[in-house]
Amino acid sequence: MSLNQIAVVTGSNKGIGYAIVKGLCEKFKGIVYLTARDSAKGLAAVNSLKQLGFNPLFHQLDITDENSINAFKDHIKTTYGGLDILINNAGVAASHDLPKEEQAKYNVRVNYFGTLNVCEALFPLLRNNAKVINISSSAGRLQRIPSTQLQNKFKDKNLTISNLSKLMEKYIKDTKEDRNEAEGWGTSAYVVSKVGLTALTNLQQNLFNEEKPYRNIYVNSVHPGSVKTDMNKKESELKGKYLWFDCRIVDWDGPMPQ
């Protein structure tokens, strides 16, 4: 079984994920996995990086598909026995042209539940001193949720991942019943999905802090800054040589910037 260090980046055939893979290939002394839902696009991205002199490996991974997640988990476990870096980049911003119920379901299903399912599958494989990064957003700051009551639920010291998931399901239900604004969620499904992801990150770190034997694992959520990608219609400008260096830890509960 290989003793190489292993890094995995989800949703990495383009945009931020692709740039992270590129940066890892330059600086990480181990094996880097580029993963994508679409195998053809993923392999094309790998070939593009190989033409630049890098050598990432590819594996299909759809974070909304339990069978795909389990196949990837089994591959990593059987081939390497564990992994050292997990970057949960895969995410979506549902079109505002969709009905708001569909926006809620799609954003939360991918950005929150998809990432959660990948983590639950791969966390047992994390080696001592592993690092996990969840690509969140400035939209994932708690104060983006208008309701103080909901904010308090998200930052309740007794909150569990199970209860957080129920809270995210409630948001979908409230939106379906056209009560999302009345219940204090606001109007952005993307915001709610990223707040959920940032809250999840905090809970995951708490669990790693308490686990025995202690593996010294760190989990952070980051805001990648203004980035020129398909998701934001390429309206922003790429800043920095690699996006990896432009990421900042999400300020979860501070005042909103002016």
Side-chain angles (χ1 to χ4, degrees):
M1 187 172 293
S2 172
L3 297 179
N4 287 308
Q5 286 197 313
I6 307 299
V8 171
V9 186
T10 69
S12 48
N13 63 283
K14 63 179 181 178
I16 294 173
Y18 179 90
I20 291 173
V21 170
K22 184 178 179 182
L24 283 169
C25 285
E26 279 205 332
K27 297 182 176 294
F28 180 63
K29 308 285 186 191
I31 296 171
V32 181
Y33 267 90
L34 184 155
T35 70
R37 177 179 57 184
D38 186 309
S39 292
K41 292 179 179 178
L43 290 169
V46 166
N47 288 334
S48 174
L49 288 168
K50 286 184 176 180
Q51 290 175 13
L52 297 175
F54 304 114
N55 192 35
L57 300 182
F58 173 73
H59 199 286
Q60 192 274 342
L61 176 60
D62 180 348
I63 71 168
T64 66
D65 184 336
E66 183 178 355
N67 291 330
S68 176
I69 294 172
N70 287 334
F72 182 66
K73 175 193 70 175
D74 292 343
H75 170 74
I76 294 295
K77 182 177 182 179
T78 301
T79 309
Y80 307 105
L83 71 155
D84 304 276
I85 294 177
L86 172 61
I87 301 179
N88 289 305
N89 169 74
V92 297
S95 170
H96 293 294
D97 293 333
L98 291 172
K100 66 180 183 179
E101 176 189 350
E102 293 304 311
Q103 292 182 46
K105 288 168 60 178
Y106 188 40
N107 280 294
V108 172
R109 175 174 173 249
V110 178
N111 298 343
Y112 175 79
F113 284 107
T115 300
L116 172 60
N117 291 338
V118 168
C119 290
E120 290 185 340
L122 297 183
F123 275 8
L125 302 183
L126 293 174
R127 296 174 176 142
N128 290 351
N129 307 310
K131 303 293 186 291
V132 179
I133 297 177
N134 296 328
I135 305 296
S136 186
S137 167
S138 60
R141 300 172 73 253
L142 189 57
Q143 307 240 344
R144 297 282 187 178
I145 301 292
S147 166
T148 302
Q149 183 178 10
L150 282 174
Q151 290 179 19
N152 289 335
K153 289 183 178 180
F154 275 105
K155 64 182 180 181
D156 186 340
K157 66 180 182 179
N158 296 315
L159 183 67
T160 64
I161 291 177
S162 175
N163 287 336
L164 175 60
S165 294
K166 291 177 183 177
L167 196 56
M168 301 304 287
E169 292 284 8
K170 182 180 185 302
Y171 163 68
I172 295 174
K173 181 174 182 291
D174 287 343
T175 305
K176 180 179 181 180
E177 296 172 353
D178 197 24
R179 291 184 51 79
N180 53 299
E181 292 187 65
E183 292 292 323
W185 294 102
T187 60
S188 173
Y190 182 76
V191 162
V192 175
S193 71
K194 289 297 187 177
V195 168
L197 178 59
T198 308
L200 174 65
T201 305
N202 296 335
L203 295 178
Q204 289 171 333
Q205 183 63 67
N206 290 341
L207 291 175
F208 280 126
N209 290 343
E210 297 169 358
E211 74 172 358
K212 296 179 181 179
Y214 180 63
R215 287 183 286 171
N216 193 40
I217 293 172
Y218 287 88
V219 189
N220 280 303
S221 56
V222 300
H223 165 53
S226 181
V227 180
K228 187 176 182 179
T229 66
D230 290 344
M231 182 180 287
N232 66 6
K233 308 304 183 185
K234 299 185 178 179
E235 293 173 354
S236 301
E237 291 300 322
L238 181 64
K239 296 182 178 180
K241 186 175 181 182
Y242 296 115
L243 307 203
W244 177 262
F245 300 113
D246 195 39
C247 290
R248 298 179 293 281
I249 304 301
V250 173
D251 183 4
W252 167 240
D253 194 24
M256 292 290 289
Q258 299 299 315

mmCIF file of all heavy atoms in Angstrom, residues 12-33:
data_model
loop_
_atom_site.group_PDB
_atom_site.id
_atom_site.type_symbol
_atom_site.label_atom_id
_atom_site.label_comp_id
_atom_site.label_asym_id
_atom_site.label_seq_id
_atom_site.Cartn_x
_atom_site.Cartn_y
_atom_site.Cartn_z
ATOM 1 N N SER A 12 -13.107 19.806 -9.572
ATOM 2 C CA SER A 12 -11.879 20.533 -9.920
ATOM 3 C C SER A 12 -11.512 20.491 -11.395
ATOM 4 O O SER A 12 -10.361 20.681 -11.752
ATOM 5 C CB SER A 12 -10.714 20.008 -9.077
ATOM 6 O OG SER A 12 -10.650 18.598 -9.072
ATOM 7 N N ASN A 13 -12.486 20.267 -12.280
ATOM 8 C CA ASN A 13 -12.161 20.260 -13.707
ATOM 9 C C ASN A 13 -12.083 21.667 -14.309
ATOM 10 O O ASN A 13 -11.642 21.838 -15.436
ATOM 11 C CB ASN A 13 -13.174 19.421 -14.495
ATOM 12 C CG ASN A 13 -14.582 19.976 -14.416
ATOM 13 O OD1 ASN A 13 -15.247 19.796 -13.400
ATOM 14 N ND2 ASN A 13 -15.046 20.641 -15.470
ATOM 15 N N LYS A 14 -12.501 22.687 -13.525
ATOM 16 C CA LYS A 14 -12.443 24.065 -14.034
ATOM 17 C C LYS A 14 -12.434 25.028 -12.857
ATOM 18 O O LYS A 14 -12.577 24.636 -11.695
ATOM 19 C CB LYS A 14 -13.632 24.362 -14.946
ATOM 20 C CG LYS A 14 -14.984 24.290 -14.250
ATOM 21 C CD LYS A 14 -16.126 24.616 -15.207
ATOM 22 C CE LYS A 14 -17.469 24.569 -14.485
ATOM 23 N NZ LYS A 14 -18.587 24.929 -15.382
ATOM 24 N N GLY A 15 -12.252 26.312 -13.178
ATOM 25 C CA GLY A 15 -12.390 27.374 -12.197
ATOM 26 C C GLY A 15 -11.470 27.264 -11.004
ATOM 27 O O GLY A 15 -10.284 26.954 -11.116
ATOM 28 N N ILE A 16 -12.021 27.531 -9.824
ATOM 29 C CA ILE A 16 -11.242 27.540 -8.591
ATOM 30 C C ILE A 16 -10.616 26.177 -8.331
ATOM 31 O O ILE A 16 -9.436 26.084 -7.959
ATOM 32 C CB ILE A 16 -12.135 27.971 -7.410
ATOM 33 C CG1 ILE A 16 -12.571 29.417 -7.574
ATOM 34 C CG2 ILE A 16 -11.402 27.786 -6.086
ATOM 35 C CD1 ILE A 16 -13.585 29.879 -6.557
ATOM 36 N N GLY A 17 -11.391 25.106 -8.499
ATOM 37 C CA GLY A 17 -10.868 23.775 -8.241
ATOM 38 C C GLY A 17 -9.684 23.435 -9.115
ATOM 39 O O GLY A 17 -8.682 22.862 -8.654
ATOM 40 N N TYR A 18 -9.764 23.780 -10.383
ATOM 41 C CA TYR A 18 -8.668 23.538 -11.327
ATOM 42 C C TYR A 18 -7.417 24.285 -10.883
ATOM 43 O O TYR A 18 -6.304 23.747 -10.897
ATOM 44 C CB TYR A 18 -9.101 23.985 -12.713
ATOM 45 C CG TYR A 18 -8.067 23.811 -13.804
ATOM 46 C CD1 TYR A 18 -8.004 22.631 -14.551
ATOM 47 C CD2 TYR A 18 -7.173 24.827 -14.107
ATOM 48 C CE1 TYR A 18 -7.071 22.471 -15.568
ATOM 49 C CE2 TYR A 18 -6.238 24.689 -15.125
ATOM 50 C CZ TYR A 18 -6.188 23.509 -15.856
ATOM 51 O OH TYR A 18 -5.263 23.354 -16.855
ATOM 52 N N ALA A 19 -7.592 25.560 -10.479
ATOM 53 C CA ALA A 19 -6.457 26.361 -10.039
ATOM 54 C C ALA A 19 -5.838 25.797 -8.756
ATOM 55 O O ALA A 19 -4.618 25.836 -8.573
ATOM 56 C CB ALA A 19 -6.880 27.805 -9.833
ATOM 57 N N ILE A 20 -6.676 25.278 -7.866
ATOM 58 C CA ILE A 20 -6.155 24.672 -6.636
ATOM 59 C C ILE A 20 -5.338 23.432 -6.963
ATOM 60 O O ILE A 20 -4.250 23.219 -6.407
ATOM 61 C CB ILE A 20 -7.309 24.332 -5.675
ATOM 62 C CG1 ILE A 20 -7.945 25.614 -5.136
ATOM 63 C CG2 ILE A 20 -6.795 23.489 -4.509
ATOM 64 C CD1 ILE A 20 -9.184 25.393 -4.310
ATOM 65 N N VAL A 21 -5.842 22.593 -7.864
ATOM 66 C CA VAL A 21 -5.078 21.417 -8.281
ATOM 67 C C VAL A 21 -3.735 21.838 -8.859
ATOM 68 O O VAL A 21 -2.683 21.254 -8.549
ATOM 69 C CB VAL A 21 -5.872 20.576 -9.303
ATOM 70 C CG1 VAL A 21 -4.982 19.494 -9.925
ATOM 71 C CG2 VAL A 21 -7.077 19.927 -8.633
ATOM 72 N N LYS A 22 -3.742 22.845 -9.682
ATOM 73 C CA LYS A 22 -2.509 23.339 -10.288
ATOM 74 C C LYS A 22 -1.519 23.799 -9.224
ATOM 75 O O LYS A 22 -0.325 23.475 -9.263
ATOM 76 C CB LYS A 22 -2.837 24.482 -11.245
ATOM 77 C CG LYS A 22 -1.646 25.028 -12.021
ATOM 78 C CD LYS A 22 -2.097 26.137 -12.970
ATOM 79 C CE LYS A 22 -0.940 26.722 -13.750
ATOM 80 N NZ LYS A 22 -1.380 27.841 -14.632
ATOM 81 N N GLY A 23 -2.013 24.565 -8.253
ATOM 82 C CA GLY A 23 -1.155 25.027 -7.176
ATOM 83 C C GLY A 23 -0.607 23.890 -6.336
ATOM 84 O O GLY A 23 0.559 23.893 -5.933
ATOM 85 N N LEU A 24 -1.447 22.889 -6.060
ATOM 86 C CA LEU A 24 -0.995 21.729 -5.295
ATOM 87 C C LEU A 24 0.071 20.950 -6.056
ATOM 88 O O LEU A 24 1.050 20.484 -5.472
ATOM 89 C CB LEU A 24 -2.180 20.820 -4.968
ATOM 90 C CG LEU A 24 -3.097 21.275 -3.829
ATOM 91 C CD1 LEU A 24 -4.355 20.425 -3.794
ATOM 92 C CD2 LEU A 24 -2.377 21.206 -2.488
ATOM 93 N N CYS A 25 -0.125 20.796 -7.351
ATOM 94 C CA CYS A 25 0.859 20.063 -8.150
ATOM 95 C C CYS A 25 2.234 20.737 -8.094
ATOM 96 O O CYS A 25 3.266 20.071 -8.167
ATOM 97 C CB CYS A 25 0.400 19.957 -9.605
ATOM 98 S SG CYS A 25 -0.925 18.769 -9.878
ATOM 99 N N GLU A 26 2.242 22.044 -7.947
ATOM 100 C CA GLU A 26 3.506 22.772 -7.845
ATOM 101 C C GLU A 26 4.157 22.627 -6.481
ATOM 102 O O GLU A 26 5.376 22.518 -6.377
ATOM 103 C CB GLU A 26 3.279 24.262 -8.125
ATOM 104 C CG GLU A 26 3.212 24.616 -9.584
ATOM 105 C CD GLU A 26 3.590 26.070 -9.826
ATOM 106 O OE1 GLU A 26 3.383 26.893 -8.918
ATOM 107 O OE2 GLU A 26 4.103 26.356 -10.919
ATOM 108 N N LYS A 27 3.347 22.601 -5.420
ATOM 109 C CA LYS A 27 3.903 22.761 -4.086
ATOM 110 C C LYS A 27 3.738 21.549 -3.169
ATOM 111 O O LYS A 27 4.438 21.440 -2.165
ATOM 112 C CB LYS A 27 3.282 23.990 -3.420
ATOM 113 C CG LYS A 27 3.613 25.290 -4.145
ATOM 114 C CD LYS A 27 3.028 26.490 -3.432
ATOM 115 C CE LYS A 27 3.459 27.772 -4.144
ATOM 116 N NZ LYS A 27 4.911 27.999 -4.053
ATOM 117 N N PHE A 28 2.806 20.660 -3.467
ATOM 118 C CA PHE A 28 2.521 19.527 -2.583
ATOM 119 C C PHE A 28 3.410 18.344 -2.952
ATOM 120 O O PHE A 28 3.459 17.924 -4.103
ATOM 121 C CB PHE A 28 1.037 19.155 -2.708
ATOM 122 C CG PHE A 28 0.604 18.006 -1.848
ATOM 123 C CD1 PHE A 28 0.662 18.082 -0.475
ATOM 124 C CD2 PHE A 28 0.119 16.844 -2.433
ATOM 125 C CE1 PHE A 28 0.245 17.016 0.318
ATOM 126 C CE2 PHE A 28 -0.308 15.780 -1.662
ATOM 127 C CZ PHE A 28 -0.246 15.869 -0.278
ATOM 128 N N LYS A 29 4.074 17.796 -1.959
ATOM 129 C CA LYS A 29 4.994 16.674 -2.193
ATOM 130 C C LYS A 29 4.232 15.353 -2.085
ATOM 131 O O LYS A 29 4.501 14.531 -1.215
ATOM 132 C CB LYS A 29 6.129 16.697 -1.173
ATOM 133 C CG LYS A 29 6.854 18.030 -1.079
ATOM 134 C CD LYS A 29 7.765 18.255 -2.236
ATOM 135 C CE LYS A 29 8.587 19.529 -2.035
ATOM 136 N NZ LYS A 29 9.300 19.939 -3.245
ATOM 137 N N GLY A 30 3.273 15.162 -2.939
ATOM 138 C CA GLY A 30 2.493 13.943 -2.887
ATOM 139 C C GLY A 30 1.645 13.800 -4.133
ATOM 140 O O GLY A 30 1.886 14.447 -5.149
ATOM 141 N N ILE A 31 0.641 12.938 -4.056
ATOM 142 C CA ILE A 31 -0.248 12.663 -5.179
ATOM 143 C C ILE A 31 -1.483 13.556 -5.083
ATOM 144 O O ILE A 31 -2.096 13.662 -4.017
ATOM 145 C CB ILE A 31 -0.659 11.173 -5.185
ATOM 146 C CG1 ILE A 31 0.573 10.293 -5.422
ATOM 147 C CG2 ILE A 31 -1.736 10.897 -6.233
ATOM 148 C CD1 ILE A 31 0.309 8.824 -5.241
ATOM 149 N N VAL A 32 -1.844 14.193 -6.180
ATOM 150 C CA VAL A 32 -2.989 15.105 -6.214
ATOM 151 C C VAL A 32 -4.077 14.513 -7.102
ATOM 152 O O VAL A 32 -3.821 14.167 -8.261
ATOM 153 C CB VAL A 32 -2.581 16.493 -6.752
ATOM 154 C CG1 VAL A 32 -3.787 17.436 -6.755
ATOM 155 C CG2 VAL A 32 -1.435 17.075 -5.931
ATOM 156 N N TYR A 33 -5.284 14.414 -6.556
ATOM 157 C CA TYR A 33 -6.429 13.915 -7.317
ATOM 158 C C TYR A 33 -7.318 15.060 -7.763
ATOM 159 O O TYR A 33 -7.840 15.823 -6.949
ATOM 160 C CB TYR A 33 -7.254 12.938 -6.474
ATOM 161 C CG TYR A 33 -6.846 11.509 -6.670
ATOM 162 C CD1 TYR A 33 -5.867 10.939 -5.861
ATOM 163 C CD2 TYR A 33 -7.412 10.713 -7.666
ATOM 164 C CE1 TYR A 33 -5.478 9.617 -6.033
ATOM 165 C CE2 TYR A 33 -7.030 9.400 -7.846
ATOM 166 C CZ TYR A 33 -6.063 8.855 -7.039
ATOM 167 O OH TYR A 33 -5.679 7.557 -7.215
#
